[in-house]
Amino acid sequence: VTSVGALTDDALHEELLAAAREGGSRLLVASGAMPGIDWMSSAALETVEEATLEQRKRPEGWKGTPAESKFDLAALKEPTTIFEGLAREAASLYPKNANIAAALALATVGLDKLRVRLVADPGIAGPSSHIMLRGDAGEIAIQVKGAALTQRTSRIVPLAVVKALRNLSSDEVMGA
């Protein structure tokens, strides 16, 4: 699955898992632009006290989303929070923009616990994310300044898909 936001639909997620079980296979979810997923999903095996994600994209990256009806994106001169809430709602409302919110949530604290802030920022060159997870296993903070493939997608996303496909046929898998 590369559009991880689709898994915010619990019925669809369960249907895909059931199909994988019945077919003797697995549901593979690409990490996409989410760094450190192996560390954070491992840390989530113990208590996680806090998990947050802030995503920043240029205003034009939010065109065609609910933000467009709430803000004059072309007129923004300073960073503007366009959404603040939980991962399930972020990925549902912004399916082409917030897949990493769904990926991080599913790998760690769940869709209804990860706090997400989405920001339209005219002062950045490309997509950026700040991820923080704190719990019994430790604390991690990651700041990513992605190279833009488009104003919605980081250049790392297709590379992550290629890596996931290579892992399917490789004798050795790192980060599994």
Side-chain angles (χ1 to χ4, degrees), residues 17-80:
L17 286 170
R21 282 190 293 271
E22 289 171 22
S25 58
R26 300 176 294 161
L27 177 62
L28 301 175
V29 181
S31 62
M34 176 51 62
I37 200 90
D38 52 346
W39 191 96
M40 291 184 285
S41 61
S42 298
L45 295 173
E46 293 194 339
T47 300
V48 172
E49 295 160 13
E50 184 179 11
T52 61
L53 166 66
E54 179 182 278
Q55 284 184 264
R56 291 176 176 260
K57 296 182 181 188
R58 293 192 47 79
E60 55 268 29
W62 301 105
K63 286 183 180 174
T65 72
E68 195 169 33
S69 64
K70 296 178 182 177
F71 302 95
D72 182 357
L73 296 171
L76 293 180
K77 301 289 185 229
E78 59 187 49
T80 303

Side-chain angles (χ1 to χ4, degrees), residues 6 29 51 56 86 94 112 118 135 142 150 161-162 166:
V29 181
R56 291 176 176 260
L86 299 175
Y94 298 88
D112 299 315
L118 304 177
I142 303 171
T150 70
V161 172
V162 169
R166 282 185 181 170

Side-chain angles (χ1 to χ4, degrees), residues 153-165:
T153 302
S154 292
R155 190 174 172 143
I156 195 70
V157 173
L159 298 173
V161 172
V162 169
K163 178 188 174 277
L165 293 171

Side-chain angles (χ1 to χ4, degrees), residues 9 14 38 79-80 86 95-96 99 117 126 133 136 150 153 169:
D9 178 334
E14 186 50 46
D38 52 346
T80 303
L86 299 175
K96 294 180 181 178
N99 278 303
R117 179 182 352 210
L133 185 134
D136 289 351
T150 70
T153 302
S169 61

